[in-house]
Amino acid sequence: MTSTSSTFIAGLEVGHFTDPRRPTGCTVVLARQGAVAGVDVRGAAPGTRETDLLAPTNLVERVHGIVLAGGSAWGLEAATGAVRWLEEQGVGMPVGPARLPIVPAAVLFDLLVGDSAIRPDAEAGYRACQAASPATPAEGNVGAGAGAVVGKIFGIARAMKGGIGCASVTVDGVTVAALVACNALGDVIDHDTALPIAGARTLDGLRLLDSRRALLAGEAPRPLIAGTNTTIGVICTDAVVTKIQATRLAQMGHDGLARSINPVHTMSDGDTLFALGTGAAGKAPGMMTLGAMAAEATARAVVRAVRAAHGIDVAGLKLPSLAELGRA
């Protein structure tokens, strides 16, 4: 089993747009030739676009891109820009004389970091497409991860910087990769040690609190605005999969979130995972193996998201990174 490569998944491209005015942005995964797609929405406060199309019983089999964005529901507008860019490239599903790009999307809430009037829009989605390439994606404070924060369960002042991360697993010539923007209410957990590595901090801000143990010991969480969190991502594979299998792959990817975030899938998270299959490997190793790979890649991507992040100080809100914790 390997977990590094010089490219993402053959046939797919990833691009980020990071807004220079405040920490927010969007990320696109492009499939110019189309990719079989599925989705699983597990959090209770999701913000999504065109996910109904991906139900196994519905008509559309392949999509041409996925957009992940900050900005809460306003950020869904970034998908409009991705559709426009793909149409200009002649990419899309034939509909009479035109080609219609199919671009589902999901958003996370980052409006508490800086000026909330600044959100990803159609131009942001367009520019993310312009920046897309098959190379391994940039990680940390970029794209949909630019304004991501983790560990807000006891208030954002005790939280830490989240981000976007990517990891891949290859078994017998088949690769599964995950690209995850982690903006979780809960802590990020090292899936190998089961110990928290980023999240809610103690009152002095110098150490991790361990939210799970604090909650079970009776410490009350701070009142939350609904949906002010959310982890979103795309699981991609070069295996040959059907639409039903892509849906199952997205579902099994949530096991990786459960290993790497605690608590996860809360009433204040809109956790959503997409799955894309290009078939470029020409192999179908079976769902037992692919599901295990998806969960592993997703868990690793979450950890990489916080390891790659760097701390920020925006309008007096100081959010340290994992590397900076305890230095203050």
Side-chain angles (χ1 to χ4, degrees), residues 72-275:
S72 191
W74 287 288
L76 291 171
E77 182 64 17
T80 299
V83 168
R84 176 163 60 91
W85 187 87
L86 285 165
E87 183 183 16
E88 290 175 0
Q89 314 308 308
V91 174
M93 180 177 70
V95 285
R99 285 190 171 271
L100 175 62
I102 306 299
V103 185
V107 293
L108 54 79
F109 185 102
D110 59 6
L111 302 180
L112 300 179
V113 184
D115 183 354
S116 63
I118 299 171
R119 287 97 58 158
D121 56 12
E123 180 63 20
Y126 190 95
R127 291 176 65 177
C129 292
Q130 289 180 313
S133 84
T136 299
E139 298 174 299
N141 297 30
V142 295
V149 181
V150 299
K152 289 162 280 185
I153 196 165
F154 297 107
I156 194 167
R158 293 168 64 182
M160 292 176 61
K161 187 67 183 72
I164 193 165
C166 180
S168 64
V169 177
T170 301
V171 175
D172 193 26
V174 168
T175 299
V176 175
L179 181 69
V180 178
C182 185
N183 185 55
L185 174 72
D187 296 342
V188 171
I189 310 298
D190 185 315
H191 56 289
D192 286 326
T193 66
L195 297 175
I197 59 173
R201 291 173 288 147
T202 52
L203 286 172
D204 63 10
L206 300 180
R207 299 177 304 282
L208 284 176
L209 176 67
D210 192 332
S211 294
R212 178 179 68 89
R213 294 183 185 278
L215 288 169
L216 295 176
E219 185 167 349
R222 290 283 298 273
L224 297 165
I225 303 171
T228 52
N229 305 282
T230 299
T231 296
I232 51 179
V234 187
I235 298 165
C236 309
T237 182
D238 53 13
V240 177
V241 294
T242 65
K243 191 177 181 183
I244 291 174
Q245 289 172 327
T247 301
R248 178 59 64 180
L249 201 62
Q251 293 171 348
M252 297 174 82
H254 278 279
D255 293 348
L257 293 188
R259 293 176 198 165
S260 57
I261 300 171
N262 194 338
V264 71
H265 304 138
T266 74
M267 295 299 292
S268 294
D269 286 288
D271 302 328
T272 299
L273 292 178
F274 296 94

